[in-house]
Amino acid sequence: MTDATTNPGTLAEATGARVYVHASADKRETITLDGDWKLGSSRERDDDYRAEIVWLSGMARVIVCKDDHQWILQRARTGRQRRIEWRGSRYFQTRKALIAACVALCGPCDPAALARLALLPEVFG
């Protein structure tokens, strides 16, 4: 069987599982499949939200919503007590619309981050 870290698209296609590619607080990339991202906060606004897919830049990221219905493009802002809080900017059901919005709204994005978004399924769910 193919290892998800070497070819997550093949594994997801073979198993029917969704692939989530995300960075942890220390920016190490991990690739996980359904149900394998339960550590971290359950609040979408938190920096360590458990269903983060990818950081696009220092102030933008993509997550899976807490109810597992859609992808959310979020932007960071300083909240109470000068802590970083993430706010939803746009909401998506299709990979094509998500990538187009990331390119249009987030300015220069890391090409590797956009490549990671390309691993997502064509339609959410």
CSV table of all heavy atoms in Angstrom, one decimal, residues 30-63:
chain,number,residue,atom,x,y,z
A,30,THR,N,2.5,18.0,7.9
A,30,THR,CA,2.0,16.7,8.1
A,30,THR,C,0.9,16.4,7.1
A,30,THR,O,0.2,17.4,6.7
A,30,THR,CB,1.5,16.4,9.5
A,30,THR,OG1,0.5,17.4,9.8
A,30,THR,CG2,2.6,16.6,10.5
A,31,ILE,N,0.7,15.2,6.7
A,31,ILE,CA,-0.4,14.8,5.8
A,31,ILE,C,-1.2,13.8,6.6
A,31,ILE,O,-0.6,12.8,7.0
A,31,ILE,CB,0.2,14.3,4.5
A,31,ILE,CG1,1.0,15.4,3.8
A,31,ILE,CG2,-1.0,13.8,3.6
A,31,ILE,CD1,1.7,14.9,2.5
A,32,THR,N,-2.4,14.0,6.8
A,32,THR,CA,-3.3,13.1,7.5
A,32,THR,C,-4.5,12.7,6.7
A,32,THR,O,-4.9,13.4,5.8
A,32,THR,CB,-3.7,13.7,8.9
A,32,THR,OG1,-4.4,14.9,8.7
A,32,THR,CG2,-2.5,13.9,9.7
A,33,LEU,N,-5.2,11.7,7.1
A,33,LEU,CA,-6.4,11.3,6.5
A,33,LEU,C,-7.6,11.5,7.5
A,33,LEU,O,-7.3,11.8,8.6
A,33,LEU,CB,-6.4,9.8,6.0
A,33,LEU,CG,-5.3,9.5,5.0
A,33,LEU,CD1,-5.2,8.0,4.7
A,33,LEU,CD2,-5.5,10.3,3.7
A,34,ASP,N,-8.8,11.3,7.0
A,34,ASP,CA,-10.0,11.5,7.8
A,34,ASP,C,-9.8,11.1,9.3
A,34,ASP,O,-9.2,10.0,9.5
A,34,ASP,CB,-11.1,10.7,7.3
A,34,ASP,CG,-11.6,11.1,6.0
A,34,ASP,OD1,-12.4,12.1,6.0
A,34,ASP,OD2,-11.3,10.5,5.0
A,35,GLY,N,-10.2,11.9,10.2
A,35,GLY,CA,-10.2,11.5,11.6
A,35,GLY,C,-8.9,11.5,12.3
A,35,GLY,O,-8.8,11.1,13.4
A,36,ASP,N,-7.8,11.8,11.6
A,36,ASP,CA,-6.5,11.7,12.2
A,36,ASP,C,-5.9,13.1,12.6
A,36,ASP,O,-4.8,13.2,12.8
A,36,ASP,CB,-5.6,11.1,11.1
A,36,ASP,CG,-4.3,10.6,11.8
A,36,ASP,OD1,-4.3,10.3,13.0
A,36,ASP,OD2,-3.3,10.4,11.0
A,37,TRP,N,-6.8,14.1,12.8
A,37,TRP,CA,-6.3,15.4,13.2
A,37,TRP,C,-7.1,15.9,14.4
A,37,TRP,O,-7.5,17.0,14.5
A,37,TRP,CB,-6.4,16.4,12.1
A,37,TRP,CG,-7.7,16.3,11.2
A,37,TRP,CD1,-7.9,15.5,10.1
A,37,TRP,CD2,-8.9,17.0,11.5
A,37,TRP,NE1,-9.1,15.7,9.6
A,37,TRP,CE2,-9.8,16.6,10.4
A,37,TRP,CE3,-9.3,17.9,12.4
A,37,TRP,CZ2,-11.1,17.1,10.4
A,37,TRP,CZ3,-10.6,18.4,12.3
A,37,TRP,CH2,-11.5,18.0,11.3
A,38,LYS,N,-7.2,15.1,15.5
A,38,LYS,CA,-8.0,15.4,16.6
A,38,LYS,C,-7.2,16.2,17.7
A,38,LYS,O,-7.8,16.6,18.7
A,38,LYS,CB,-8.5,14.1,17.3
A,38,LYS,CG,-9.4,13.4,16.3
A,38,LYS,CD,-10.6,14.2,15.8
A,38,LYS,CE,-11.5,13.4,14.9
A,38,LYS,NZ,-12.4,14.2,14.1
A,39,LEU,N,-5.9,16.3,17.6
A,39,LEU,CA,-5.2,17.1,18.6
A,39,LEU,C,-5.3,18.6,18.3
A,39,LEU,O,-5.4,19.0,17.1
A,39,LEU,CB,-3.7,16.7,18.7
A,39,LEU,CG,-3.5,15.2,19.0
A,39,LEU,CD1,-2.0,14.9,19.0
A,39,LEU,CD2,-4.0,14.9,20.4
A,40,GLY,N,-5.1,19.4,19.3
A,40,GLY,CA,-5.2,20.9,19.1
A,40,GLY,C,-6.6,21.4,19.5
A,40,GLY,O,-7.5,20.7,19.9
A,41,SER,N,-6.8,22.7,19.2
A,41,SER,CA,-8.0,23.4,19.6
A,41,SER,C,-9.1,23.0,18.7
A,41,SER,O,-9.0,22.8,17.5
A,41,SER,CB,-7.7,24.9,19.6
A,41,SER,OG,-9.0,25.6,19.8
A,42,SER,N,-10.4,23.1,19.2
A,42,SER,CA,-11.6,22.9,18.4
A,42,SER,C,-12.2,24.2,18.0
A,42,SER,O,-13.2,24.2,17.3
A,42,SER,CB,-12.6,22.0,19.2
A,42,SER,OG,-13.0,22.7,20.3
A,43,ARG,N,-11.5,25.3,18.4
A,43,ARG,CA,-12.0,26.6,18.0
A,43,ARG,C,-11.3,27.1,16.8
A,43,ARG,O,-10.1,27.3,16.8
A,43,ARG,CB,-11.9,27.6,19.2
A,43,ARG,CG,-12.7,27.2,20.4
A,43,ARG,CD,-12.5,28.2,21.5
A,43,ARG,NE,-11.1,28.2,21.9
A,43,ARG,CZ,-10.6,28.7,23.0
A,43,ARG,NH1,-11.4,29.3,23.8
A,43,ARG,NH2,-9.3,28.6,23.2
A,44,GLU,N,-12.1,27.5,15.7
A,44,GLU,CA,-11.5,27.9,14.5
A,44,GLU,C,-10.6,29.1,14.6
A,44,GLU,O,-9.7,29.3,13.8
A,44,GLU,CB,-12.6,28.2,13.5
A,44,GLU,CG,-13.4,26.9,13.0
A,44,GLU,CD,-14.6,27.3,12.2
A,44,GLU,OE1,-14.9,28.4,11.9
A,44,GLU,OE2,-15.2,26.3,11.7
A,45,ARG,N,-10.9,30.0,15.6
A,45,ARG,CA,-10.1,31.2,15.7
A,45,ARG,C,-8.8,31.0,16.3
A,45,ARG,O,-7.9,31.9,16.3
A,45,ARG,CB,-10.9,32.2,16.5
A,45,ARG,CG,-11.0,31.9,18.0
A,45,ARG,CD,-11.7,32.9,18.8
A,45,ARG,NE,-11.8,32.6,20.2
A,45,ARG,CZ,-12.9,32.2,20.8
A,45,ARG,NH1,-14.0,32.1,20.2
A,45,ARG,NH2,-12.8,31.8,22.1
A,46,ASP,N,-8.5,29.9,16.9
A,46,ASP,CA,-7.2,29.6,17.6
A,46,ASP,C,-6.1,29.3,16.7
A,46,ASP,O,-6.3,28.7,15.6
A,46,ASP,CB,-7.4,28.5,18.6
A,46,ASP,CG,-8.2,28.8,19.8
A,46,ASP,OD1,-8.6,30.0,20.0
A,46,ASP,OD2,-8.6,27.9,20.6
A,47,ASP,N,-4.9,29.7,17.0
A,47,ASP,CA,-3.7,29.5,16.2
A,47,ASP,C,-3.4,28.0,16.1
A,47,ASP,O,-2.8,27.6,15.1
A,47,ASP,CB,-2.5,30.2,16.9
A,47,ASP,CG,-1.5,30.6,15.9
A,47,ASP,OD1,-1.8,30.8,14.7
A,47,ASP,OD2,-0.3,30.8,16.3
A,48,ASP,N,-3.8,27.2,17.1
A,48,ASP,CA,-3.5,25.8,17.0
A,48,ASP,C,-4.8,24.9,16.7
A,48,ASP,O,-4.9,23.8,17.1
A,48,ASP,CB,-2.9,25.3,18.3
A,48,ASP,CG,-3.9,25.4,19.5
A,48,ASP,OD1,-4.8,26.2,19.4
A,48,ASP,OD2,-3.6,24.7,20.5
A,49,TYR,N,-5.6,25.5,15.9
A,49,TYR,CA,-6.9,24.8,15.4
A,49,TYR,C,-6.5,23.5,14.8
A,49,TYR,O,-5.6,23.4,14.0
A,49,TYR,CB,-7.7,25.7,14.5
A,49,TYR,CG,-8.9,25.0,13.9
A,49,TYR,CD1,-9.9,24.6,14.8
A,49,TYR,CD2,-9.1,24.8,12.6
A,49,TYR,CE1,-11.1,24.1,14.3
A,49,TYR,CE2,-10.3,24.3,12.1
A,49,TYR,CZ,-11.2,23.9,13.0
A,49,TYR,OH,-12.4,23.3,12.5
A,50,ARG,N,-7.2,22.4,15.2
A,50,ARG,CA,-6.9,21.1,14.8
A,50,ARG,C,-7.1,20.7,13.4
A,50,ARG,O,-6.5,19.7,12.9
A,50,ARG,CB,-7.6,20.1,15.7
A,50,ARG,CG,-9.1,20.1,15.4
A,50,ARG,CD,-9.8,19.1,16.4
A,50,ARG,NE,-11.2,19.2,16.1
A,50,ARG,CZ,-12.1,18.8,17.0
A,50,ARG,NH1,-11.7,18.4,18.2
A,50,ARG,NH2,-13.4,18.9,16.8
A,51,ALA,N,-7.9,21.5,12.6
A,51,ALA,CA,-8.2,21.1,11.2
A,51,ALA,C,-7.6,22.1,10.2
A,51,ALA,O,-8.2,22.4,9.2
A,51,ALA,CB,-9.7,20.9,11.0
A,52,GLU,N,-6.4,22.6,10.5
A,52,GLU,CA,-5.7,23.5,9.6
A,52,GLU,C,-5.2,22.7,8.5
A,52,GLU,O,-4.6,21.7,8.7
A,52,GLU,CB,-4.6,24.2,10.4
A,52,GLU,CG,-3.8,25.2,9.5
A,52,GLU,CD,-2.7,25.8,10.3
A,52,GLU,OE1,-3.0,26.6,11.2
A,52,GLU,OE2,-1.6,25.4,10.1
A,53,ILE,N,-5.4,23.2,7.3
A,53,ILE,CA,-4.8,22.5,6.1
A,53,ILE,C,-3.5,23.1,5.7
A,53,ILE,O,-2.5,22.3,5.5
A,53,ILE,CB,-5.8,22.7,4.9
A,53,ILE,CG1,-7.1,22.0,5.2
A,53,ILE,CG2,-5.2,22.1,3.6
A,53,ILE,CD1,-8.2,22.2,4.2
A,54,VAL,N,-3.4,24.4,5.5
A,54,VAL,CA,-2.1,25.0,5.1
A,54,VAL,C,-2.0,26.5,5.4
A,54,VAL,O,-3.1,27.2,5.4
A,54,VAL,CB,-2.0,24.8,3.5
A,54,VAL,CG1,-3.0,25.5,2.7
A,54,VAL,CG2,-0.6,25.0,3.1
A,55,TRP,N,-0.8,26.9,5.7
A,55,TRP,CA,-0.6,28.4,5.8
A,55,TRP,C,-0.2,28.9,4.4
A,55,TRP,O,0.6,28.3,3.7
A,55,TRP,CB,0.7,28.6,6.7
A,55,TRP,CG,0.4,28.4,8.2
A,55,TRP,CD1,0.3,27.2,8.8
A,55,TRP,CD2,0.3,29.4,9.2
A,55,TRP,NE1,0.1,27.4,10.1
A,55,TRP,CE2,0.1,28.7,10.4
A,55,TRP,CE3,0.4,30.8,9.2
A,55,TRP,CZ2,0.0,29.4,11.6
A,55,TRP,CZ3,0.3,31.4,10.4
A,55,TRP,CH2,0.1,30.7,11.6
A,56,LEU,N,-0.9,30.0,4.0
A,56,LEU,CA,-0.6,30.6,2.7
A,56,LEU,C,0.5,31.7,2.8
A,56,LEU,O,1.3,31.9,1.9
A,56,LEU,CB,-1.9,31.2,2.1
A,56,LEU,CG,-3.0,30.1,1.9
A,56,LEU,CD1,-4.3,30.8,1.5
A,56,LEU,CD2,-2.5,29.2,0.7
A,57,SER,N,0.4,32.4,3.9
A,57,SER,CA,1.4,33.5,4.2
A,57,SER,C,1.3,33.7,5.7
A,57,SER,O,0.6,33.0,6.4
A,57,SER,CB,1.0,34.7,3.4
A,57,SER,OG,-0.2,35.3,4.0
A,58,GLY,N,2.1,34.6,6.2
A,58,GLY,CA,2.1,34.9,7.6
A,58,GLY,C,0.7,35.3,8.2
A,58,GLY,O,0.4,35.1,9.4
A,59,MET,N,-0.2,35.8,7.3
A,59,MET,CA,-1.5,36.3,7.8
A,59,MET,C,-2.7,35.6,7.2
A,59,MET,O,-3.8,36.0,7.4
A,59,MET,CB,-1.6,37.8,7.6
A,59,MET,CG,-0.5,38.6,8.3
A,59,MET,SD,-0.5,38.4,10.1
A,59,MET,CE,-1.9,39.5,10.4
A,60,ALA,N,-2.5,34.5,6.5
A,60,ALA,CA,-3.6,33.8,5.9
A,60,ALA,C,-3.4,32.3,6.0
A,60,ALA,O,-2.2,31.8,5.9
A,60,ALA,CB,-3.7,34.2,4.4
A,61,ARG,N,-4.5,31.5,6.1
A,61,ARG,CA,-4.4,30.1,6.1
A,61,ARG,C,-5.7,29.5,5.6
A,61,ARG,O,-6.7,30.2,5.5
A,61,ARG,CB,-4.1,29.5,7.5
A,61,ARG,CG,-5.3,29.7,8.5
A,61,ARG,CD,-4.9,29.2,9.9
A,61,ARG,NE,-6.0,29.3,10.8
A,61,ARG,CZ,-6.0,28.9,12.1
A,61,ARG,NH1,-4.9,28.4,12.6
A,61,ARG,NH2,-7.0,29.0,12.8
A,62,VAL,N,-5.8,28.2,5.4
A,62,VAL,CA,-7.0,27.5,5.0
A,62,VAL,C,-7.2,26.4,6.0
A,62,VAL,O,-6.3,25.7,6.4
A,62,VAL,CB,-6.8,26.9,3.6
A,62,VAL,CG1,-8.1,26.1,3.2
A,62,VAL,CG2,-6.6,28.0,2.5
A,63,ILE,N,-8.5,26.3,6.4
A,63,ILE,CA,-8.9,25.3,7.4
A,63,ILE,C,-10.1,24.5,6.9
A,63,ILE,O,-10.8,25.0,6.0
A,63,ILE,CB,-9.2,25.9,8.8
A,63,ILE,CG1,-10.4,26.8,8.7
A,63,ILE,CG2,-8.0,26.6,9.3
A,63,ILE,CD1,-11.0,27.2,10.1
